[in-house]
Amino acid sequence: MRKPKVNRMVLAMCLGCFIMVIFYFQSNLKPASAQGSGRSSGQGKSWRSPLQMLYDSDQLEQSTVQGTHQGRRELLEDACRSYTRKRRVLIPEDLKHVIVDDQHGLLYCYVPKVACTNWKRVLMVLTGAAGPHRDPLAIPANEAHVPGNLRTLSEYSTSQINQRLRSYLKFVFVREPFERLVSAYRNKFTRSYNTAFHKRYGTKIIRRHRPNPQAEALERGDDVSFEEFVYYLVDPATQREEPFNEHWERVHSLCHPCLIHYDVVGKYETLEQDSRYVLQLAGVEGQVTFPASAKNTRTTGDMAAQFFNNIRPFYQKKLYNLYHMDFLLFNYSTPEYLKF
């Protein structure tokens, strides 16, 4: 007679244990959208990652800006298919220019002379690396470039790299290749304060590409002409000796756009609009504003044309061949001022 009572007790205990197990798992599971994003589980249900915002039409209204960026992605993918014969595996060395913001799910490949100082400042504010600063312009320019202030993707393990490449918003900003090149020359070789570049590169350029240089020029390296700079770039011995400096290295060599699928390709020509778009996708447009640039100091197409006036067509062609992939991949037309 006691057997049914015992059975009922055992059944009740089993049912109680089952309910406790369900409660445990419900209280410990994190929403998928919060995993790996740097966000707490308490924010997970309401927060959507920048990548989700980009591809979820319910979260972001279709707009002219979205259409522009979709067109850029498609053009880049088509160019990669047409002009890249062999695909290879990414290695950590390829990722040294890709900055990581784990808190907001962002990967930014910085390209010198394409507003990278201001983008680093913005990311320092977003990641907390700026300390009390909330205004990006309050961060000194030299501090924005200090190694270690921002983490790069090359510092992570292979599994961590793959996870971030899959789930973070990847963006890069590009610029008309020859305007960027002239900007790099003006900044590094015509400014008196850039003595490190004068010593490191200027003296070498003068020694190799100036007939009968003066002793002072060989010592100081501070009067390199644009023509001599072009000779240095197209000289095959230059890249055999060492890689290009990042300020004049090609964008496709810095950011590998045919190996990394960039979700947003911003352009210097539409810098303010494209920067707002990225901050909107990240959901931080109310927390930080991308700094407006001083347009009166920008290197323009007309300015670049003046610098190329003294370059012979033979060397114009060689230089264009050197930067040809950047023109193709990012849909920049051949400059009209070239004479070849």
Side-chain angles (χ1 to χ4, degrees):
M1 294 295 293
R2 297 178 61 188
K3 215 169 189 180
K5 189 175 182 180
V6 171
N7 288 342
R8 284 197 298 269
M9 290 177 63
V10 171
L11 183 62
M13 289 175 65
C14 290
L15 184 61
C17 290
F18 181 66
I19 292 171
M20 288 177 67
V21 168
I22 291 175
F23 178 77
Y24 174 80
F25 276 104
Q26 282 184 333
S27 64
N28 281 278
L29 281 176
K30 290 184 179 180
S33 62
Q35 291 179 4
S37 69
R39 296 276 177 156
S40 68
S41 58
Q43 294 173 297
K45 289 187 178 179
S46 60
W47 184 78
R48 300 186 70 78
S49 74
L51 198 59
Q52 288 171 320
M53 290 290 287
L54 178 68
Y55 291 108
D56 191 341
S57 58
D58 292 335
Q59 294 295 317
L60 203 64
E61 292 182 15
Q62 284 290 335
S63 65
T64 304
V65 176
Q66 270 190 294
T68 297
H69 285 280
Q70 183 176 341
R72 289 177 188 174
R73 286 195 301 273
E74 291 171 355
L75 282 168
L76 178 56
E77 289 169 6
D78 289 345
C80 286
R81 279 194 295 269
S82 299
Y83 300 106
T84 306
R85 295 179 182 178
K86 293 182 179 180
R87 292 184 65 85
R88 62 176 180 81
V89 177
L90 283 166
I91 59 173
E93 186 72 21
D94 298 328
L95 305 173
K96 287 187 172 181
H97 271 246
V98 180
I99 293 172
V100 181
D101 177 359
D102 281 322
Q103 291 174 265
H104 301 92
L106 299 172
L107 295 178
Y108 161 60
C109 186
Y110 72 90
V111 178
K113 308 313 301 174
V114 193
C116 78
T117 301
N118 281 341
W119 263 115
K120 287 181 179 181
R121 285 166 161 160
V122 167
L123 289 169
M124 285 178 69
V125 171
L126 291 178
T127 59
H133 297 306
R134 303 311 300 166
D135 175 10
L137 288 179
I139 304 169
N142 62 326
E143 192 175 325
H145 299 293
V146 173
N149 278 343
L150 295 164
R151 293 192 71 182
T152 63
L153 198 54
S154 60
E155 299 172 38
Y156 291 77
S157 69
T158 301
S159 62
Q160 291 172 328
I161 289 170
N162 290 332
Q163 186 269 329
R164 283 159 177 77
L165 286 172
R166 283 195 307 269
S167 60
Y168 285 16
L169 182 86
K170 300 168 289 296
F171 69 100
V172 61
F173 274 75
V174 300
R175 184 178 187 177
E176 200 280 340
F178 282 172
E179 287 180 27
R180 175 176 170 248
L181 187 66
V182 170
S183 177
Y185 166 76
R186 292 178 64 213
N187 180 251
K188 300 305 175 186
F189 294 106
T190 70
R191 304 285 191 267
S192 59
Y193 56 79
N194 266 323
T195 54
F197 269 82
H198 301 160
K199 288 284 188 180
R200 173 75 174 80
Y201 296 100
T203 54
K204 182 188 296 184
I205 292 170
I206 291 169
R207 186 170 64 252
R208 290 185 178 178
H209 301 289
R210 181 179 299 180
N212 306 314
Q214 297 293 318
E216 185 180 3
L218 288 170
E219 172 66 23
R220 295 169 63 91
D222 60 354
D223 64 344
V224 172
S225 70
F226 184 68
E227 191 174 10
E228 291 167 337
F229 180 52
V230 170
Y231 293 159
Y232 165 77
L233 293 173
V234 302
D235 183 355
T238 299
Q239 287 193 82
R240 282 201 302 267
E241 185 178 90
E242 61 180 346
F244 276 167
N245 179 274
E246 61 178 13
H247 291 85
W248 47 84
E249 179 61 280
R250 287 69 53 93
V251 176
H252 75 270
S253 295
L254 291 174
C255 295
H256 310 283
C258 293
L259 298 177
I260 298 173
H261 177 84
Y262 286 99
D263 305 294
V264 176
V265 178
K267 293 202 169 185
Y268 193 72
E269 296 77 13
T270 51
L271 176 63
E272 292 178 12
Q273 173 183 284
D274 295 345
S275 298
R276 278 197 307 271
Y277 181 57
V278 172
L279 296 177
Q280 179 190 5
L281 290 171
V284 296
E285 65 270 30
Q287 300 175 33
V288 64
T289 302
F290 190 84
S293 58
K295 294 183 179 180
N296 60 326
T297 60
R298 282 186 179 183
T299 299
T300 63
D302 289 342
M303 196 179 293
Q306 293 176 9
F307 277 86
F308 273 85
N309 268 341
N310 296 326
I311 307 300
R312 284 176 285 169
F314 174 77
Y315 288 103
Q316 289 184 3
K317 177 67 173 175
K318 286 175 76 73
L319 191 68
Y320 180 78
N321 288 342
L322 197 60
Y323 289 87
H324 189 213
M325 280 301 290
D326 279 1
F327 280 98
L328 288 174
L329 293 175
F330 304 114
N331 198 31
Y332 286 107
S333 56
T334 305
E336 293 181 0
Y337 54 77
L338 295 181
K339 301 185 184 74
F340 60 84

